Amino acid sequence: MAERTIAAPALLRPLTQKITWFLLAVFVLVAATAPLLAPYDPHAQDLRNTLMPPGPGHLLGTDDFGRDQLSRLCYALRSSLLISLATTAAVAAAGIPLGLLAGYARGLANVLIARAIDVGLALPSLVLALGLIAALGAGVRSTVIALAVGYTPYLARVVRGVVLRVRQEEYVESARVSNVPPWRIAVRHVVPNTLGVTSVQLTLIFAFAVIGEAGLSFVGLGVQPPTASLGNLLADGSAHSLDLPILTVAPGLVIAVLVIALLFAGDGIRDALDPRRRR
């Protein structure tokens, strides 16, 4: 996973970033206050009012069990964001130390960690996640573990690249010649120089985790019913994509806007942390 972001034209970047952070704030607010915003119990079934089109009583209609789609969408957003956040935290906890060791350590440790990262990069993350879930069983915990294992090598590779570059800087060499302990050099010089790139990469991993969770839940290996997630809402609505397209359009639109907003946020973070781009 290379460090990729969506670059907006220079004149539109301030407006783009305002819209981006506004959308992300809305998503977070909806997820945090889902019990207050949801007009109905997301699990309550009303078999007399199944597959109702959008209307005053149900703004996004109902599914094939009569459950209010708007309520389920609020809770689905909450589930997907929590899973993506847990995945990103796990990737940071594993990927940053691995990248630092792979870039700063010397000898056999460097070789072993670097080869392990290469092996992880050679395997498609979603294919690896499917294999892990098949071994661990479907569920939220398995989804977080599988996605974290799949995305950790990408963050470790980026951190390792930054560390290898910083390690060659003159001030690091000067500190080494002055017999400064390696751990102090790492803490004072190497780690601070990785924070900018790491922050951007974690934003992108969060976006990919949203997509990964949606994909796994869509095929029935992620969040299990009756708990709602963006992926299983898409799966449930796909059977009615012709007669009631709102059941797939609503969660699909949320996924698309959320991921694009996260990518633009990564672009903004990169600009904020890069003095050359600020100029």
Side-chain angles (χ1 to χ4, degrees):
M1 184 188 304
E3 183 188 337
R4 297 177 181 176
T5 53
I6 297 179
L11 293 178
L12 296 178
R13 284 191 178 185
L15 177 61
T16 301
Q17 287 301 311
K18 290 180 181 179
I19 296 174
T20 294
W21 291 107
F22 172 76
L23 289 174
L24 290 178
V26 170
F27 284 131
V28 172
L29 181 63
V30 170
T33 61
L36 299 177
L37 292 179
Y40 298 94
D41 182 345
H43 305 308
Q45 300 183 13
D46 184 2
L47 298 181
R48 295 173 299 178
N49 294 304
T50 61
L51 299 177
M52 291 181 60
H58 301 280
L59 295 180
L60 294 180
T62 61
D63 63 6
D64 45 6
F65 290 101
R67 296 173 295 191
D68 181 67
Q69 183 73 353
L70 177 59
S71 301
R72 289 183 61 76
L73 187 60
C74 292
Y75 278 86
L77 178 62
R78 189 182 199 184
S79 299
S80 297
L81 285 181
L82 287 175
I83 291 174
S84 300
L85 180 61
T87 299
T88 305
V91 170
I96 294 175
L98 282 176
L100 290 172
L101 287 174
Y104 194 72
R106 298 178 184 272
L108 183 61
N110 182 12
V111 174
L112 291 177
I113 297 174
R115 296 294 77 81
I117 293 174
D118 291 339
V119 171
L121 292 172
L123 300 173
S125 55
L126 285 181
V127 174
L128 180 59
L130 288 172
L132 288 173
I133 288 181
L136 298 174
V140 173
R141 183 179 179 182
S142 300
T143 300
V144 172
I145 294 174
L147 291 177
V149 171
Y151 294 137
T152 293
Y154 296 96
L155 178 63
R157 182 189 64 174
V158 171
V159 174
R160 178 176 180 267
V162 176
V163 172
L164 288 174
R165 186 185 74 241
V166 173
R167 197 175 67 178
Q168 306 302 322
E169 296 290 341
E170 293 182 359
Y171 57 86
V172 176
E173 291 293 338
S174 175
R176 187 178 295 115
V177 171
S178 301
N179 293 324
V180 177
W183 66 268
R184 182 171 294 180
I185 296 175
V187 171
R188 295 186 60 183
H189 300 297
V190 177
V191 173
N193 281 282
T194 66
L195 295 180
V197 174
T198 301
S199 300
V200 176
Q201 194 68 17
L202 287 175
T203 304
L204 303 183
I205 287 174
F206 197 109
F208 290 120
V210 171
I211 299 174
E213 182 279 323
L216 292 174
S217 296
F218 184 85
V219 298
L221 297 177
V223 178
Q224 298 299 296
T227 304
S229 79
L230 295 175
N232 60 32
L233 284 189
L234 273 176
D236 294 342
S238 61
H240 307 284
S241 56
L242 295 180
D243 56 318
L244 198 59
I246 190 65
L247 295 181
T248 52
V249 170
L253 186 62
V254 169
I255 293 173
V257 174
L258 176 58
V259 170
I260 292 174
L262 286 168
L263 295 179
F264 272 114
D267 184 61
I269 293 173
R270 182 187 61 185
D271 289 347
L273 297 176
D274 190 339
R276 293 170 298 180
R277 289 183 175 272
R278 286 202 300 268
R279 289 196 296 268

